[in-house]
Every structure is written in structure tokens, then in C-alpha cells.
């Protein structure tokens, strides 16, 4: 369970307030001096006021609690625990300073308490003995070292936590940047696919000349990509529109080689498999010469000089 500094301070002040009440009752029943009872009652009021102030945000209530408790311990310590016998209760104030303050407050509380007790004993007594001072110094030194070790570990943990938080923030930023870049890339790919589809449509347009006749002019160089796109587009058009005749015009093809001729033949074969008659128009003299020189034959493909002749043939057939 994680306990915060604020919870510790509030709980400790609550214990001091709760412990003051039985002390006041015990002192009153034991017939203690009115000044002693008043001091105990004053401590109850002081600790209550400090708790109220601390819960409303006054952080210096912690340090003031250490000072008041040290003064009460130094002034209120009864005999014979001032000049004759050493009491373990002298460690309560340094421990309180360890919980509520820092090593400087531990040293200040312990030194002030010891000076007050030695002063009350006439600058002598049990607390002035070297053995008592050494033992007291060792205990207080141990408390200070323990607090230093705890503070160092806490600072290291906070530093590590801050570093981990920074790394997490950076990772989230990188993830967000990658996500944004991914979305932008996907949008760019979508636009590019749309542009490619538009280019393919413009490269191989299909125009309806009659109810059952489509016309597809081919312009420019016909490479492998365009040949595949041409075949797919014409097959889709014939299948979707259920036409009986397709006129493919290659007048705009600047050069015909074996690859172009093979692409045309494959396209015609595919269209015929769908029950569509194919007429190729626009074969110019240079193109025909190239085909002859290459030894390429269009086989049984019907060819005409122009789309008009193709339409005449289609009209005669219908």
C-alpha cells in the first residue's frame, strides 16, 4: 500500500493529539502542578491547530510541530530523568523530526533537546556524561544516515519514474507520428490507386457506337501493363454490357512488335470466348510492314482500315 507524506503527517499529528488527552487526565489525577497541566493542555491545542493548518495547505506546520514537540520534551521532562537517569523518551523528538522533516531537523531537534536537558541539570548530570553523549550521538547519527539513504533511494526512484514517464511520452508521440504518417500514406496510396484507375480508363476508353457494338481506341505504346489492362477492361465491358461486337482501333499505336501483336491476339481470343465478334481497325501501312517483317500473323482476326468500315461490316451482318 502506498502511503503519501501528507497521510503520514496527518496521522502523526492525530496521534499526538490523541496522546495529549490521556496525559492531561493522568497529570490531573496525579495532582501535578497547574503549570504542567497547562503545558499539556497547550500542547493539545497547539497540535490541533497545526493539524487544522496543515490540512488546509500550510506545509510549515510540519517543521513547527518538530520545534514545539522538542521544546515540550526539553521543558517537560520530569526528574529523575533530567539529572540522574537517562530516559529513552529523549529519542522521540529526533524520531518525530525524522518522520516529519529532514536530516537537518533531526540534528537540530536532537542537539536542542540535549542542550536543554543538560542546562536544566546545571550543565552536568547524566546527559553530560561522555558515554551517554556517544550512545545518543550514535543513535541520532544512525537516524540521519537512515533518512539520507531513504531520501537517496526516493530521489533515484523519482528520477527513474520521471525518465520512464518521459520515455513513455516519447513512445506515445512516436506512435502517434507513425499513425499519422500511416494514415497519410494510406490516403496517398488511395489517391494514387484512383489516379491509376483514371489513367487506365483514359488509356483504354470504351465507347458504345450502337446497342450491341463497342468501340475501343488504343493510343500510344502498348506494353505488358497496358496490354493486361486493355484485356481486363474490354472483357469487363463486354461481359457487363452484353455486346456482340467489339471494334478495336490501333491507328494510334505508333509501333507494333511481337509483344503488341501477341497482346492483341490474346485480347481477341478472350473476347471471342465471351461470344463477342472482334474487328481490328486502323492497321496502317508501316504497321502492316512491320508485322510482315516480324513474321507475325493475326490469324483469323478480321481487320479493316477504319472504324467506319467496321461499322459497315457490322451493319451488313445484322
Amino acid at each position: 500500500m502506498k502511503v503519501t507524506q501528507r497521510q503520514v503527517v496527518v496521522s502523526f499529528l492525530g496521534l499526538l493529539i490523541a496522546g495529549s488527552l490521556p496525559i492531561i487526565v493522568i497529570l490531573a489525577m496525579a495532582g501535578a502542578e497547574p503549570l504542567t497541566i497547562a503545558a499539556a493542555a497547550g500542547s493539545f491545542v497547539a497540535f490541533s491547530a497545526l493539524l487544522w493548518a496543515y490540512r488546509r495547505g500550510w506545509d510549515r506546520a510540519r517543521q513547527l510541530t518538530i520545534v514545539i514537540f522538542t521544546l515540550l520534551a526539553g521543558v517537560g521532562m520530569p526528574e529523575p530523568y533530567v539529572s540522574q537517569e537517562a530516559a529513552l523518551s529523549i529519542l522521540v523528538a529526533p524520531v518525530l523530526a525524522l518522520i516529519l522533516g529532514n536530516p537537518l531537523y533531526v540534528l537540530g531537534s536532537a542537539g536542542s533537546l540535549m542542550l536543554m536537558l543538560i542546562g536544566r541539570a546545571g550543565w552536568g548530570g547524566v546527559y553530560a556524561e561522555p558515554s551517554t553523549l556517544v550512545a545518543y550521538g550514535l543513535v541520532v547519527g544512525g537516524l540521519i544516515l537512515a533518512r539520507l539513504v531513504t531520501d537517496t533511494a526516493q530521489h533515484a526512484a523519482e528520477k527513474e519514474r520521471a525518465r520512464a514517464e518521459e520515455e513513455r511520452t516519447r513512445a506515445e508521440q512516436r506512435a502517434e507520428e507513425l499513425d499519422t504518417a500511416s494514415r497519410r500514406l494510406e490516403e496517398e496510396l488511395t489517391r494514387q490507386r484512383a489516379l491509376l484507375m483514371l489513367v487506365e480508363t483514359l488509356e483504354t476508353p470504351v465507347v458504345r457506337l450502337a446497342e450491341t457494338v463497342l468501340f475501343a481506341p488504343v493510343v500510344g505504346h502498348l506494353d505488358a501493363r497496358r496490354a493486361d489492362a486493355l484485356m481486363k477492361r474490354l472483357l469487363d465491358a463486354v461481359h457487363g454490357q452484353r455486346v456482340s461486337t467489339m471494334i478495336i482501333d490501333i491507328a494510334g499505336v505508333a509501333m507494333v512488335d511481337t509483344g503488341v501483336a501477341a497482346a492483341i491476339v490474346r485480347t481477341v481470343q478472350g473476347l471471342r470466348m465471351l461470344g463477342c465478334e472482334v474487328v481490328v481497325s486502323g492497321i496502317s501501312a508501316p504497321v502492316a510492314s512491320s508485322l510482315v517483317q516480324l513474321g507475325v500473323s493475326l490469324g483469323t482476326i478480321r481487320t479493316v482500315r477504319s472504324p467506319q468500315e467496321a461499322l459497315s461490316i457490322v451493319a451488313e451482318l445484322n
Side-chain angles (χ1 to χ4, degrees):
M1 182 178 66
K2 184 178 180 180
V3 181
T4 63
Q5 176 72 21
R6 182 176 179 80
Q7 291 173 334
V8 171
V9 175
V10 171
S11 300
F12 208 88
L13 285 172
L15 290 175
L16 291 176
I17 294 170
S20 299
L21 289 175
I23 291 177
I24 294 173
V25 174
I26 292 173
L27 290 175
M29 294 179 62
E33 297 181 358
L35 184 60
T36 303
I37 298 175
S43 65
F44 172 80
V45 174
F47 292 141
S48 299
L50 289 171
L51 177 60
W52 178 85
Y54 184 76
R55 295 187 63 178
R56 279 158 181 76
W58 192 50
D59 189 65
R60 291 191 176 276
R62 296 187 296 116
Q63 292 85 356
L64 190 56
T65 300
I66 298 172
V67 173
I68 292 176
F69 191 88
T70 302
L71 290 174
L72 289 175
V75 174
M77 183 74 70
E79 287 288 1
Y81 302 108
V82 175
S83 59
Q84 299 178 17
E85 296 182 17
L88 291 177
S89 58
I90 61 173
L91 297 175
V92 176
V95 171
L96 175 66
L98 179 69
I99 296 173
L100 302 183
N102 54 45
L104 289 178
Y105 279 92
V106 175
L107 183 61
S109 175
S112 300
L113 178 59
M114 187 59 68
L115 287 175
M116 284 188 289
L117 293 176
I118 293 176
R120 287 180 58 188
W123 303 104
V126 64
Y127 297 111
E129 295 178 359
S131 59
T132 304
L133 290 174
V134 170
Y136 187 66
L138 289 175
V139 174
V140 172
L143 293 176
I144 293 174
L145 289 176
R147 183 54 186 265
L148 289 174
V149 171
T150 303
D151 288 347
T152 301
Q154 182 178 359
H155 291 160
E158 291 177 353
K159 186 177 180 180
E160 184 64 23
R161 182 188 61 80
R163 189 188 66 80
E165 183 67 21
E166 184 178 355
E167 289 295 329
R168 185 184 66 82
T169 302
R170 290 179 180 174
E172 291 178 351
Q173 291 176 350
R174 287 194 294 268
E176 185 176 353
E177 291 173 357
L178 289 175
D179 184 61
T180 302
S182 177
R183 289 197 301 269
R184 291 177 179 174
L185 181 60
E186 183 63 29
E187 293 174 357
E188 184 65 24
L189 290 175
T190 301
R191 287 195 295 267
Q192 290 181 2
R193 284 193 290 265
L195 288 174
L196 287 174
M197 291 178 62
L198 177 60
V199 169
E200 291 177 358
T201 302
L202 295 175
E203 285 180 340
T204 56
V206 178
V207 181
R208 182 181 290 276
L209 298 181
E211 184 177 356
T212 59
V213 181
L214 292 181
F215 174 64
V218 181
V219 180
H221 177 64
L222 192 65
D223 56 13
R225 182 190 65 80
R226 287 197 63 196
D228 291 339
L230 173 66
M231 179 184 296
K232 181 179 184 301
R233 181 162 177 76
L234 296 184
L235 290 174
D236 290 342
V238 169
H239 180 268
Q241 302 181 37
R242 298 185 180 278
V243 298
S244 60
T245 305
M246 171 68 72
I247 301 173
I248 302 176
D249 184 70
I250 62 171
V253 178
M255 182 181 65
V256 175
D257 54 15
T258 54
V260 173
I264 295 174
V265 172
R266 289 196 305 272
T267 303
V268 172
Q269 291 173 347
L271 294 172
R272 284 178 173 176
M273 293 179 66
L274 295 178
C276 179
E277 182 64 27
V278 181
V279 180
V280 178
S281 67
I283 300 179
S284 62
V287 170
S289 177
S290 297
L291 291 174
V292 171
Q293 292 177 3
L294 293 171
V296 177
S297 175
L298 297 181
T300 60
I301 299 174
R302 178 174 292 184
T303 61
V304 295
R305 287 178 293 181
S306 66
Q308 289 78 9
E309 291 187 17
L311 287 174
S312 300
I313 295 174
V314 172
E316 293 177 358
L317 292 175
N318 294 332

